Amino acid sequence: MSPDTKALLNRVGMIVGVTLILVWCLLPVAWIISLSFKSQAAVTSGSPGFFPSAGGGAGWQNYIDAWNNEQFRRAIFNSIGISLIATLLSVILATLAAYAIARLEFRGKKLVLSAALAVAMFPVVSLVGPLFDMWRAIGLYDTWPGLIIPYMSFTLPLAIWTLSAFFREIPWEMEQAAQVDGATSWQAFRKVIVPLAAPGVFTAAILTFFFAWNDFVFGISLTSTEAARPIPASLSFFVGSDPFNRPASLLAAGAVISTIPIIIIVLLFQRKIVAGLTSGAVKG
């Protein structure tokens, strides 16, 4: 077999493989978008196919109804506020902790990293029961802090691991040069180290925000009203006139709307996300 034939077969195989992966990953997304444009009557009658049948389309009405739902709008506000606060606090604390772990020598440093990793890998479901009782006792149940704290307990260790790897890649001489020029340790950290570690900081922020935005277990277990209930948990309470016949098309429209902020973030910052995930992977 000639080299040109091998190259052509490899190219065709790669195209076919990528196409299959994209279809496998995007088919559920395309299906839920299709479902969001169907009327509830068409869904109840078992309307087959990707596109709504004749007379079974609802147009944008499902999206209008979902957005006009006060419960849904409140859930969006809760998710945005809780996710942003959890992300900001996690990134600030993780940046300081990761810098100390990467730059300072102290006993038990490996133990700290191992404990952080163990916390990040701990099953979320096993903590719901104790947190429920604890939050009810101290008054954090059904509040924003009652969700922000559990989110940080899982995102902070992951952010520390991510950022400590970035700080290790930054030459120590750059910080020493800044101190020689008259900068204090805090000024060298803030004006030299943090800007150089910006891809890692951004990656940690994105991971933290995604975890908080997509969480369902804590959101459904540690809230009881719309005061702090986030979007994933709120969607499970969407019921129509018949509680035994859930409005699937309305739920699909709500799910699509709740995904839009994530899509916007990825499209706007995709280059920084890729740079953050790949920075330091290859040493020159």
Side-chain angles (χ1 to χ4, degrees), residues 99 172-186 188-189:
Y99 175 78
W172 178 250
E173 291 77 11
M174 300 188 67
E175 185 175 1
Q176 291 177 327
Q179 293 176 348
V180 169
D181 291 338
T184 63
S185 298
W186 170 249
F189 169 74

Side-chain angles (χ1 to χ4, degrees), residues 11-159:
R11 185 177 181 84
V12 172
M14 183 182 66
I15 293 175
V16 172
V18 171
T19 302
L20 291 175
I21 293 174
L22 288 176
V23 171
W24 177 264
C25 295
L26 297 180
L27 182 59
V29 178
W31 196 268
I32 198 171
I33 293 176
S34 169
L35 184 62
S36 67
F37 284 102
K38 293 181 179 180
S39 65
Q40 183 58 32
V43 174
T44 304
S45 62
S47 174
F50 181 79
F51 297 101
S53 58
W60 295 98
Q61 190 60 43
N62 289 325
Y63 290 89
I64 297 173
D65 293 341
W67 183 254
N68 289 336
N69 189 302
E70 181 64 27
Q71 169 187 334
F72 183 73
R73 291 203 304 270
R74 175 66 186 184
I76 291 179
F77 175 74
N78 290 337
S79 287
I80 292 175
I82 292 171
S83 300
L84 289 179
I85 294 174
T87 299
L88 180 63
L89 295 177
S90 294
V91 169
I92 292 175
L93 295 177
T95 301
L96 298 174
Y99 175 78
I101 291 174
R103 293 304 197 197
L104 303 180
E105 292 296 333
F106 56 90
R107 295 180 60 182
K109 182 166 68 172
K110 293 183 178 180
L111 180 61
V112 171
L113 286 174
S114 300
L117 184 61
V119 171
M121 298 295 106
F122 206 78
V124 175
V125 178
S126 62
L127 297 178
V128 170
L131 279 177
F132 178 84
D133 291 335
M134 189 186 305
W135 273 197
R136 289 288 294 268
I138 64 179
L140 289 179
Y141 182 74
D142 201 24
T143 63
W144 280 24
L147 290 178
I148 293 173
I149 295 173
Y151 290 167
M152 290 180 59
S153 66
F154 282 90
T155 57
L156 190 57
L158 182 61

Side-chain angles (χ1 to χ4, degrees), residues 180-258:
V180 169
D181 291 338
T184 63
S185 298
W186 170 249
Q187 289 174 334
F189 169 74
R190 182 168 55 89
K191 296 182 178 180
V192 177
I193 301 301
V194 172
L196 291 175
V201 174
F202 195 86
T203 301
I206 289 295
L207 294 175
T208 303
F209 185 85
F210 283 2
F211 178 89
W213 185 271
N214 295 324
D215 171 72
F216 176 78
V217 177
F218 287 133
I220 198 69
S221 304
L222 302 180
T223 61
S224 59
T225 67
E226 301 307 318
R229 185 175 289 151
I231 287 179
S234 181
L235 288 177
S236 66
F237 287 90
F238 267 31
V239 293
S241 55
D242 183 4
F244 299 101
N245 186 15
R246 304 297 292 274
S249 56
L250 187 64
L251 283 170
V256 173
I257 294 175
S258 65

